[in-house]
Amino acid sequence: MRPLQISLLVLVFMSVLTSYGQEETDDYLEFNDRNNVVHGVYVGINMGLGEIDGGNAYNGGLKIAYVANQQFEVGFASNFLYSEQDIYNNSLSRYEDLIAVYGGLHLEPIFFSKRRINLSFPLLLGAGAVGYVDNKFRNDESYVEDLTEDDIDAVFVAEPGINALFNISRYLQLEAGVKYRFSSRIDLPPTRITRINGFSAGIGVKVGIFNMGRNRYKKNVQ
């Protein structure tokens, strides 16, 4: 009887482990003391809509970043901005819109990174150039504006924001959020706009590997 009892006990123990393993948990069995360092890299594109001095502003951006432990991003971001201002330029006898290009350091702390939806606070610190173009630019794709040094001005930008990040897979992430752009003063004729400050809301997609370098000695309890 004793061997039979032992065999039944083993079978019950194995069945309990099997049924427990079918439930997804955040627990791990660790087989060694190696640190579970998770790295990631990605390329992202985004687009948004906002406002500058009462006029619609459209922006698009590109960023490349390294992700540390799915908790912090650091990289480079660049943005293109176009705003429908319809400001009349007396010297050129035309209506003009605002255009800007800027880029710099991208920083983004991430919270709740182990969940399907994360919360993050991106920050761009950089510089670029601002200028005015004929408003024909937005209606005629073949129109080319010849800008000189007198038509553009340097600008420094700080752009904090808040994002919701949606983890679609190990290689794909979507984002949606709002941000506010602070800029240094610009001095360009016509001089109605002195800064390109303003809110914007946008969406984006990130493509890369967000959790490479996982510890193979750590296994999900399933």
Side-chain angles (χ1 to χ4, degrees), residues 51-53 81 98-102 123-130 132 153-160 179-188 193-199:
E51 185 179 78
I52 295 177
D53 198 33
L81 175 68
L98 184 74
I99 192 171
V101 178
Y102 58 92
L123 172 65
L124 187 154
L125 299 172
V130 180
Y132 288 102
D153 196 10
V155 65
F156 296 94
V157 176
E159 196 169 52
K179 54 188 177 181
Y180 189 85
R181 180 177 48 258
F182 298 93
S183 82
S184 60
R185 188 178 181 86
I186 59 175
D187 185 14
L188 285 172
I193 296 179
T194 58
R195 300 179 190 273
I196 58 172
N197 296 356
F199 278 102

Side-chain angles (χ1 to χ4, degrees), residues 43 48-49 54 61 73 79 86 101 119 128 134 147 160 166 192 204 215:
V43 175
L49 174 64
E73 296 182 9
N79 286 331
D86 289 326
V101 178
L119 181 68
D134 194 322
L147 296 175
F166 304 89
R192 192 186 81 187
N215 191 346

Side-chain angles (χ1 to χ4, degrees), residues 29-57:
L29 291 177
E30 185 169 347
F31 298 97
N32 73 345
D33 59 355
R34 193 175 75 175
N35 291 329
N36 187 26
V37 178
V38 178
H39 308 281
V41 291
Y42 74 85
V43 175
I45 57 174
N46 56 77
M47 61 184 67
L49 174 64
E51 185 179 78
I52 295 177
D53 198 33
N56 291 332

Side-chain angles (χ1 to χ4, degrees), residues 4 22 47 61 66 132 146 194:
L4 180 58
Q22 292 175 349
M47 61 184 67
Y66 162 76
Y132 288 102
D146 294 325
T194 58

